[in-house]
Amino acid sequence: MIARFTRIIPLIIVLAVVAAIVYLVATWRYSPNKAKEILIRVFTWFTGILSIVLAIVCLYVLLDGNMAVFELSASFLVTALLALGITRICRAVFVKHHPNYKKRAQKAERLNGRK
């Protein structure tokens, strides 16, 4: 059981390093709230795509009959899905505390009808 958990440590380290770099760069360039919004958006895409790729790998390896690689890819898939779930929870909490970030800017329209 512990051996299975030690296999996902590199993935967790990579996710943590990417999160730290994205947050620090975005905080330096923008505001902390904008950095959180950017980090949530990046991690939603990153973990979503990673989950899809790992699900395809799991399916392929399962059909191929290689159970050792299936266990490894399944543990990575579970980690990616947990990261995606945590990201979505963070987004819900962020939007709850900052409801103005939920609304996107819209293109302005003139009232007099001229362009």
Side-chain angles (χ1 to χ4, degrees):
M1 183 83 164
I2 298 297
R4 289 183 183 163
F5 290 128
T6 59
R7 291 186 258 177
I8 62 173
I9 289 175
L11 180 60
I12 293 172
I13 291 171
V14 167
L15 290 174
V17 168
V18 168
I21 290 171
V22 168
Y23 184 74
L24 289 175
V25 169
T27 302
W28 173 70
R29 179 135 173 120
Y30 304 106
S31 68
N33 284 338
K34 183 70 173 175
K36 291 174 189 172
E37 180 186 7
I38 291 169
L39 183 64
I40 289 170
R41 190 177 320 129
V42 166
F43 256 70
T44 299
W45 279 100
F46 182 65
T47 56
I49 292 170
L50 185 64
S51 298
I52 291 169
V53 169
L54 287 170
I56 292 170
V57 167
C58 283
L59 182 63
Y60 174 75
V61 170
L62 186 64
L63 293 175
D64 195 36
N66 193 345
M67 292 311 285
V69 177
F70 174 73
E71 287 181 8
L72 179 65
S73 59
S75 64
F76 283 150
L77 176 61
V78 169
T79 304
L81 289 172
L82 282 172
L84 181 61
I86 290 169
T87 304
R88 299 313 294 170
I89 290 170
C90 290
R91 182 190 181 281
V93 170
F94 180 77
V95 169
K96 181 180 177 184
H97 293 298
H98 303 92
N100 57 338
Y101 278 96
K102 193 174 184 180
K103 300 175 184 129
R104 290 277 146 222
Q106 297 178 357
K107 189 173 183 178
E109 187 175 308
R110 292 188 180 188
L111 294 176
N112 60 7
R114 293 189 225 168
K115 292 187 177 185

